[in-house]
Amino acid sequence: QVQLVESGGGLVQAGGSLRLSCVASGRTFSAYAMAWFRQAPGKEREFVGAIGWRGNTDYARSVQGRFIISRDNAKNTVYLQMNSLKPEDTAVYYCAAGGGVSFQGYDYNYWGQGTQVTVSS
């Protein structure tokens, strides 16, 4: 079992930055691919980005060039650095762990409870 706890969400003005963190329990964190998804009110959950155990990354087109995913295996933590935020980035952001980098939510076995990000215009 892996438990994931996100933090770092909040209210920020458009153009600003936030860094989300996701801390995982368990001793096998380094073996998991880690991903970030988000869900805005009234919308489907969508893939944001993911990082594999080797550090390979993949991003949604909507955040490419603005968001950066990184991981610190010694701290069992994955980060999402969000820059140049837009009002349309407003959503609950979820951290997920799975066997490999994928943009499909069903490929991830473990999920956090989510953290709210609100971007004001």
Side-chain angles (χ1 to χ4, degrees), residues 13-92:
Q13 288 189 331
S17 297
L18 278 177
R19 189 177 80 158
L20 305 183
S21 300
C22 172
V23 179
S25 65
R27 296 175 293 177
T28 58
F29 171 80
S30 61
Y32 286 98
M34 301 298 297
W36 290 94
F37 287 78
R38 67 187 181 186
Q39 187 166 20
K43 294 188 176 181
E44 298 280 325
R45 182 180 62 193
E46 65 172 352
F47 172 76
V48 174
I51 184 167
W53 62 272
R54 296 176 298 173
N56 50 304
T57 56
D58 191 18
Y59 296 95
R61 287 185 180 180
S62 58
V63 306
Q64 184 82 43
R66 299 189 297 123
F67 290 11
I68 300 170
I69 294 177
S70 60
R71 65 190 298 161
D72 185 336
N73 290 335
K75 296 182 179 180
N76 279 14
T77 301
V78 62
Y79 303 97
L80 180 65
Q81 177 68 44
M82 304 185 294
N83 302 318
S84 302
L85 282 161
K86 304 175 182 180
E88 51 264 43
D89 294 318
T90 295
V92 177

